[in-house]
Amino acid sequence: MTTRTRFAPSPTGFLHVGGARTALFCWLQARKEQGVFILRIEDTDLERSTPESVQAILDGMEWLGLDHDEGPFYQTHRFDRYAEVTKELLAAGKAYPCWCSKERLEKLREEQMAAGLKPRYDGHCRGGAEPVPGVDPVIRFRNPQVGSVVFEDRVRGRIAVSNEELDDLVIARPDGSPTYNFTVVVDDIDMGVTLVIRGDDHINNTPRQINIYEALGATPPQFAHVPMILGEDGARLSKRHGAVSVLQYREMGYLPEALLNCLVRLGWSFGDQEVFSRDEMVEHFSIDDVNRKAAAFDHTKLDWLNQHWMKTLPAGRVATELRPQFEAAGLDPAKGPALEDLVGVQAERVNTLKAMAEASRPYYEDFADFDPDAAKKHLRPVAAEPLQAIRDTLAGLAAWTPEALDAAVRETAERLEVNMGKIAQPLRVALTGSGMSPSIDLTLWLVGQERALARIDSALGFIAERAAQQR
RNA sequence: GUCCCCAUCGUCUAGAGGCCCAGGACCCUAGCCUUUCACGCUAGUAACGGGGGUUCGAAUCCCCCUGGGGACGCCA
């Protein structure tokens, strides 16, 4: 039987990293077994679901490259189907209407808590109750009262829960709209899902869902409950941990390859291997190897992986992701070196694309001032001669290539009998305004001949002006 | 409160009774490389939560404790 997995987020917010990892695991397992990956939007909560969230989830999935084979299906389009199944259950006596008021239920809950019991519906209407005039009833599932539900979770192992712990859950509200525990079961049956991979906050729901499968005469799928992702402080990941939305990571300049790589290693490993390409993940991943412990999301590791992938991926691929960062930084890629060339030089110097765009500013637009510290240290009168010398050499250079530029700088230093530093540092400050940049040949290469000459002239002017002031 | 789940360096993890006085990676520190900043390379610090068992032998199996998380909705 072909494996069919599904990712079923509810559109009440963005796609966060926890959801993204669940989606990744579903996707990987399907791809690995050449199965089918289904996307389903669980939007039965009309109050909280928004079209923006749906779009954010779709965008996030697309950016990560987690493509689905079927769907997206929307539960709101399937209300007729749920109503139909509810009717069947009612007809078979496997569900019943309940007129209990919320007030009564609330009071019941409080009493049970006070008595040290687990709050559960007491079955007041289970035996058939008198309709309350003017009140639309909810529909409750008639859960077995004896025995226990046992299932073999593919990451947790055997889990057993006594039916005495469960109660008769609501499957339809007074207005007829269905509830979560019911819709998932109906959908997973209708969509032929064979393996349910989801967060372990759903473990407690599983036994009651299995009871519904059985009431419907269906064989439950396999389950795999993956541990949650925690924030860096070990608490459940939430907004206050900063970025949790996948799309925010794109904005911050992370590559999807890096985020995926980081996520896949949370709760899963393959020997000592840390770096995984998409293909390697598919090749080696197995849901059965996922461990049970909740893991904390580590941003520093993501930074490391991001840089790794910026250095490793084809420059053109990285450039594609870099382009939006230029726009965000207000930089025009047309006004400087080709982004592919830039990536080749900058990838090893920063760990996000955002930082790369920022660090590349001098190659795309003129800067107003020299960094005061760098200028003070390197744009001194003694630097005037080397700067003039290298300017003259550069002005006559026919080939503006890293090789030619490296040779030009070295020869000039040799000719003047000074250390490389004596010429490279002032030149660096002249070219970029700061004391930090790629190696001097590459810096020159990126700045370009025309700009380089003009900036050296500015620097020479700055030195002269400063000398005049001090005199 | 009741039920369920979890427990190896700061973090992610390897480890499925002897190969482990516990390995890798990130972070951090030191050194090397070097025209700056990085990259790279080398080295170092750092963990089996506690207590009982079982066993010739336990990080690995069992029990208790402690600590953490989750669920208990007419949310998903």
Side-chain angles (χ1 to χ4, degrees):
Chain A
M1 190 162 64
T2 62
T3 297
R4 294 172 64 87
T5 65
R6 50 52 162 200
F7 176 55
S10 61
T12 55
F14 35 66
L15 177 62
H16 58 93
V17 298
R21 193 196 50 164
T22 303
L24 172 62
F25 284 0
C26 293
W27 182 87
L28 283 173
Q29 192 65 21
R31 290 288 167 271
K32 182 185 179 66
E33 299 187 344
Q34 286 158 311
V36 174
F37 176 53
I38 301 165
L39 179 62
R40 182 170 75 223
I41 306 295
E42 308 216 321
D43 54 356
T44 52
D45 185 348
L46 286 346
E47 311 266 296
R48 297 196 300 156
S49 300
T50 66
E52 291 75 30
S53 295
V54 172
Q55 197 53 50
I57 289 165
L58 261 23
D59 289 348
M61 294 290 284
E62 190 185 344
W63 180 64
L64 290 173
L66 303 180
D67 56 320
H68 50 271
D69 305 300
E70 292 180 17
F73 297 109
Y74 294 84
Q75 292 190 320
T76 43
H77 297 354
R78 292 173 46 78
F79 275 28
D80 289 350
R81 172 64 182 148
Y82 306 133
E84 181 185 318
V85 179
T86 303
K87 212 187 286 174
E88 283 172 25
L89 250 20
L90 240 18
K94 291 172 176 171
Y96 60 90
C98 166
W99 281 271
C100 291
S101 68
K102 285 190 177 184
E103 292 69 37
R104 190 183 99 77
L105 264 19
E106 183 54 38
K107 200 172 154 232
L108 178 66
R109 209 182 338 264
E110 277 169 23
E111 285 169 1
Q112 288 169 327
M113 290 276 262
L117 297 169
K118 182 174 180 171
R120 304 202 317 276
Y121 178 61
D122 61 356
H124 181 81
C125 299
R126 185 180 168 106
E130 278 300 301
V132 178
V135 173
D136 288 323
V138 299
I139 307 300
R140 284 184 187 274
F141 173 69
R142 193 183 298 274
N143 197 78
Q145 290 178 308
V146 295
S148 58
V149 181
V150 180
F151 65 102
E152 205 61 45
D153 192 281
R154 285 182 68 176
V155 344
R156 291 311 165 100
R158 186 187 193 79
I159 295 177
V161 174
S162 166
N163 273 322
E164 286 166 33
E165 293 296 330
L166 275 20
D167 63 0
D168 293 348
L169 71 158
V170 172
I171 60 173
R173 304 183 180 92
D175 66 358
S177 65
T179 61
Y180 167 74
N181 280 111
F182 179 59
T183 58
V184 242
V185 174
V186 174
D187 285 347
D188 285 337
I189 291 172
D190 288 353
M191 295 171 194
V193 171
T194 62
L195 171 61
V196 170
I197 298 172
R198 70 214 324 187
D200 67 8
D201 48 333
H202 285 291
I203 283 190
N204 291 279
N205 287 327
T206 306
R208 51 181 70 218
Q209 288 175 13
I210 288 174
N211 282 330
I212 298 177
Y213 275 98
E214 251 129 47
L216 258 20
T219 307
Q222 292 195 309
F223 292 95
H225 288 95
V226 304
M228 331 204 53
I229 295 183
L230 275 19
E232 258 144 6
D233 54 357
R236 190 179 180 164
L237 200 62
S238 68
K239 287 111 296 194
R240 78 190 163 73
H241 289 103
V244 286
S245 159
V246 159
L247 261 12
Q248 264 177 287
Y249 283 91
R250 175 171 64 177
E251 279 169 33
M252 292 189 294
Y254 292 95
L255 291 163
E257 286 83 351
L259 187 55
L260 251 21
N261 195 156
C262 194
L263 256 20
V264 83
R265 286 285 288 99
L266 252 35
W268 177 78
S269 62
F270 182 71
D272 285 340
Q273 189 170 340
E274 297 288 345
V275 173
F276 293 87
S277 68
R278 197 177 291 263
D279 288 346
E280 288 172 317
M281 288 181 205
V282 172
E283 186 187 347
H284 299 302
F285 183 81
S286 170
I287 194 68
D288 301 302
D289 295 334
V290 171
N291 65 211
R292 308 156 176 223
K293 190 187 152 196
F297 188 66
D298 183 4
H299 287 259
T300 60
K301 196 135 184 178
L302 175 61
D303 283 344
W304 179 78
L305 283 165
N306 201 50
Q307 181 174 55
H308 172 84
W309 283 109
M310 287 197 295
K311 291 192 294 185
T312 310
L313 253 15
R317 161 79 191 109
V318 180
T320 304
E321 294 288 328
L322 178 61
R323 205 163 285 275
Q325 294 295 337
F326 264 61
E327 198 174 322
L331 287 171
D332 183 355
K335 298 206 169 127
L339 293 187
E340 284 80 355
D341 291 339
L342 181 77
V343 168
V345 175
Q346 296 283 59
E348 63 184 35
R349 325 181 53 75
V350 290
N351 42 36
T352 67
L353 296 165
K354 190 186 178 74
M356 188 183 289
E358 244 358 283
S360 304
R361 201 167 274 282
Y363 313 122
Y364 294 86
E365 63 181 31
D366 290 329
F367 53 89
D369 297 299
F370 297 107
D371 172 70
D373 290 339
K376 193 176 173 189
K377 197 169 173 193
H378 299 295
L379 296 185
R380 294 185 294 164
V382 290
E385 192 198 344
L387 275 181
Q388 189 60 55
I390 189 70
R391 191 219 181 276
D392 294 341
T393 307
L394 294 173
L397 208 60
W400 198 262
T401 63
E403 298 73 33
L405 290 163
D406 179 60
V409 176
R410 283 181 196 286
E411 280 160 19
T412 305
E414 247 168 68
R415 187 154 48 80
L416 298 182
E417 294 183 339
V418 296
N419 296 332
M420 277 287 280
K422 285 278 188 294
I423 176 162
Q425 275 311 95
L427 184 53
R428 189 185 314 281
V429 178
L431 292 171
T432 67
S434 96
M436 293 177 288
S437 83
S439 65
I440 201 64
D441 51 334
L442 295 174
T443 301
L444 280 163
W445 182 56
L446 291 177
V447 170
Q449 190 164 26
E450 194 183 324
R451 255 187 198 136
L453 296 177
R455 288 179 185 176
I456 295 171
D457 288 340
S458 298
L460 285 167
F462 176 89
I463 293 172
E465 202 177 303
R466 198 163 87 166
Q469 276 173 1
Q470 282 176 350
R471 209 170 290 132

